[in-house]
Amino acid sequence: MNPLGTGDPLRLGPYRLTGVLGAGGMGQVYLGRDVRGQLAAVKVLRSEIAHEPEMARRFLREAQAAQAVRSDGVARVLAAQMVGGRPWIATEFLAGPTLDQAVERYGPLDEPTARAVGAALVRTLMDIHGAGLVHRDLKPSNIVLTSRGPRIIDFGIARPEYGLTLTTTGESLATPGYAAPEQVLGQRTGPAGDVFSLGVVLAYAAGGRPLYEGGHVAAVQYQVVHGEPELDAVPPAIRTLVVPCLDKEPGKRPALDAIARELAPPRAADRAWRTGPLAEDIARREADARRMATLPGDEAPGPSRRRLIGGLAAGGAVLAAGGGAGAWWLLDHDDSQAETRPWAAKPLAHHQEGSAPTPLWGPVDTGLSDPDDEITPLPVHDLVVVAATGRRLRAYGVRDGGKRWTSAVAGLTGRPLVLFDDTVLIADTHGAVRALSAEDGKERWAAAPADAATLLAVDDKAVFLATRGGRLRAVSLATRSTLWTVPSPVRLRGGRPAAGAAAKGRLVVHGSDGQAVALDTRSGRTAWGPRRHGTTAVAPAVDGDTVYLGGKALTALTLATGERKWTHTATGDLGWGAPALHDGVVYAVDDTDLHARRADTGAAEWTVTVGPEVHPLDPPVAEGRSVWAVVDSTGRRGVVAADTREGRIAWPYSQGSDGAWRLAGADNRVFLLQVGQLTAMPVL
């Protein structure tokens, strides 16, 4: 979620708009709050299509369809009006993960929970059909798990029972892999179409993977119409339930009341969203929603609404959009907000010019003296994780540096990754991918054999790794199975092993040969590249729809296509180090200088000299109003902190010993690790 921008309305009807949640195919979606503090997702038809009568009719039809359903299982429509020729719809703001988010984070649902979810969906579909409508876009991302149970959202392409799938010739609004065969073919779609979608959804919930998959939309749709579903991952009891729903002939699919009798969830089957990790997730999101509902305006004292909305810009809201026609927004838990991270440090109010402040704590001896075994400190929740003796992980509290746990799992290779702010992913010497609880370091699950040499990146669906055989592989977070394996277009091992980043359907890998390539995260197919950007691996950085690369030039590329946005050639022989992004600014070191450049245009903000020509290629660390950079490769000269507001060196910091420095930042702290000594420093 982002703050309101130029041209965004400030108020619609009774709702004061507080932020931009995003956009669907037809409308811009805002977070609104009325005078009672009630939150709403307010969707406004895009101005560029508001003049088209058919678009306006379809938009208002969405509100009318949702208003016609009287059910506790749907998101309620709160208001729908026309303002200045542009219609808007206000819907209930639901706090909870979507079904696909829950499965990706916590794995497939057990049989009782799957039956409970199915029973709730059947009741709601019966209410929808009882109102004379067919939802036509039932899928995991349109099902929200709340403390009151599953809720179906998005009536953007709902129609009366006699409605057609196609709006104009060749324009299909069906979601690939979930829409029934008759809907894919543009034929009349009745309640049996929702039954087909229900079967696919239940199979996904219980099995953890889609039934119909393919490299592109046409391949998926072909499988739905002509192929057979992949049911191996679905437990037998649930498989028996869903197979009749998947019949290609609508008339042969069971009625909803018959499905309800077959589901028959056991007593207390709904405990999954009442107790346990999923329930805790829902509770956190609901607490965030209550905080947002009670925040004062910008003009009032107390916690700033603008600050909270800015914190959510990092990913606090998740879109569940249906078929490109509707957009319904949910509050997603995001602990990066200062108000919800009580362990966050306070920035320095004052500091002596040129003199390093006293550390918040440390140096703490981690017991690891071999620099080859060290990893960059990994902040996760209220801990910072480092390597320990025996290639184990050890966690320290960010407030006091006190030791919290040492993992029982040994044989760490490469760098660990953070998953969902409560899990640490590692690869071990046996090639397995293991997930450890950030709370206590205990193993949650393992994906073996994965043949992992090192982990490259993770998104909300998969962890991406380099295999010991020099290939690239994606492993599902939901099923722990291999999604795809492809030959690597770039070299993965060398003086500096390959580094990667994953976002928005792209895995970007910068190889040890200096070449960069982007792969489609769903299939492993090369999306663009490889292209040479230097002579060795330099970690990429992704922000929004842009990837930033160091090397022979500091370059900004469109993430999806690799199209160049801007570039600045290095002046030093070593080239640009890895970039770091913070508040719309790119920070990177070239030759002797630390540069700050605007992320959107590449225009220079400021440049300061930090040290000798030989500098490490690791990224600087931007935290608070300071950016930290290592001075030299030997480590003896230490690090420097620069004031990002004025573009000047605020202070140097050194421990007076040789050894590589590894830096990380979070919650107004910068963690410094050198030769096994871990220190937490304050920031401006």
Side-chain angles (χ1 to χ4, degrees), residues 1-5 8 18-22 29-31 309-310 312-315 317:
M1 186 167 66
N2 296 308
L4 296 175
D8 287 324
T18 61
V20 181
L21 293 169
V29 188
Y30 300 93
L31 177 66
I309 298 299
L312 284 171

Side-chain angles (χ1 to χ4, degrees), residues 61 181 209 233 283 417 440 474 568 654:
R61 190 166 58 226
R209 60 182 300 174
L417 301 173
D440 55 17
H568 292 282
S654 174

Side-chain angles (χ1 to χ4, degrees), residues 527-568:
W528 51 262
R531 302 171 188 167
R532 186 164 297 282
H533 283 268
T535 59
T536 189
V538 179
V542 174
D543 185 45
D545 65 352
T546 307
V547 58
Y548 301 87
L549 297 169
K552 64 181 180 181
L554 182 63
T555 306
L557 304 174
T558 300
L559 180 61
T561 64
E563 179 182 0
R564 182 178 296 176
K565 293 186 174 183
W566 54 260
T567 187
H568 292 282

